[in-house]
């Protein structure tokens, strides 16, 4: 592992690894899961995106975590800090496989990774880039205390996708947690 391991009540959050590949491929092949995450990826494209996320740990020192269900060892999704070159801000993003959606896993993991971004990475601000029609993610961002700051742009090859930047500062996050 080339990064930290975090634990929540139901999840283990750890850097992506080779054993996550099949869960990652299924996640990226699901049209419902991927409808707001750039679209379905074939297996080869998904492999490259897995390597990009895993490699970001080495290059940036942070990246998305794999979410592993503690009770079963099943791969749940990916959540965490993300800021590729040209990104509109320091993001904590999320995505869980369809079978785990609506069960609070994304929120549980997002709380842990927002804490990590502010307390360990030293970020002063966190955003979540969310498609305007993605009401589920917008609702989660609001529950986390983020506000819609309006439209923003992602870098190529995602520049054509409309997204809003939801966000909050470290001070706002800490004040809510008291």
């Amino acid at each position: 592992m080339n990064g930290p391991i975090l634990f929540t009540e139901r999840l283990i959050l750890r850097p992506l690894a080779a054993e996550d590949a099949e869960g990652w491929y299924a996640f990226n092949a699901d049209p419902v899961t991927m409808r707001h995450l750039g679209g379905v990826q074939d297996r080869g494209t998904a492999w490259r995106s897995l390597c990009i996320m895993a490699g970001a740990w080495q290059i940036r020192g942070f990246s998305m975590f794999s979410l592993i269900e503690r009770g079963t060892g099943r791969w749940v999704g990916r959540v965490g800090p993300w800021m590729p070159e040209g990104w509109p801000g320091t993001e904590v993003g999320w995505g869980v496989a369809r079978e785990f959606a609506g069960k609070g896993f994304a929120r549980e993991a997002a709380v842990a990774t927002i804490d990590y971004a502010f307390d360990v990475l030293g970020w002063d601000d966190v955003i979540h880039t969310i498609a305007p029609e993605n009401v589920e993610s917008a609702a989660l961002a609001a529950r986390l205390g983020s506000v819609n700051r309006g439209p923003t742009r992602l870098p190529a090859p995602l520049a054509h996708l409309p997204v809003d930047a939801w966000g909050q500062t470290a001070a706002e996050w800490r004040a809510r947690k008291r």
Side-chain angles (χ1 to χ4, degrees), residues 38 60 82-89 91 127 129 152-161 163:
R60 292 270 196 209
W82 187 238
M83 194 182 70
E85 189 65 30
W87 213 248
E91 178 163 22
I127 65 166
T129 56
T152 193
R153 281 189 68 118
L154 301 177
L158 305 172
H160 66 286
L161 299 175
V163 294

Side-chain angles (χ1 to χ4, degrees):
M1 293 289 156
N2 56 352
I5 299 174
L6 309 177
F7 296 91
T8 67
E9 181 181 341
R10 299 179 296 162
L11 297 167
I12 300 168
L13 288 71
R14 60 158 175 73
L16 288 124
E19 61 265 25
D20 301 331
E22 292 305 323
W24 183 269
Y25 297 153
F27 174 91
N28 283 278
D30 183 351
V32 173
T33 299
M34 294 302 291
R35 72 184 179 276
H36 301 299
L37 298 175
V40 169
Q41 296 178 0
D42 62 46
R43 196 171 174 94
T45 304
W47 179 83
R48 287 186 289 282
S49 70
L50 172 69
C51 290
I52 288 167
M53 288 265 181
W57 280 104
Q58 190 70 30
I59 303 299
R60 292 270 196 209
F62 60 85
S63 185
M64 296 267 180
F65 292 94
S66 269
L67 307 181
I68 309 301
E69 189 176 34
R70 288 177 79 163
T72 65
R74 293 187 303 168
W75 192 86
V76 172
R78 89 293 190 273
V79 176
W82 187 238
M83 194 182 70
E85 189 65 30
W87 213 248
T90 47
E91 178 163 22
V92 169
W94 50 79
V96 297
R98 186 184 339 181
E99 68 189 278
F100 297 102
K103 298 180 181 178
F105 287 111
R107 183 183 188 289
E108 186 175 326
V111 167
T113 55
I114 292 171
D115 281 341
Y116 179 81
F118 289 143
D119 298 341
V120 177
L121 298 177
W123 291 359
D124 294 323
D125 192 73
V126 162
I127 65 166
H128 322 291
T129 56
I130 300 173
E133 67 276 5
N134 187 347
V135 295
E136 297 90 353
S137 279
L140 174 53
R143 282 194 308 276
L144 292 167
S146 292
V147 297
N148 189 341
R149 297 174 176 172
T152 193
R153 281 189 68 118
L154 301 177
L158 305 172
H160 66 286
L161 299 175
V163 294
D164 291 331
W166 289 72
Q168 63 186 299
T169 65
E172 291 166 336
W173 176 254
R174 290 182 180 119
R176 283 189 81 242
K177 289 192 76 174
R178 283 189 210 142

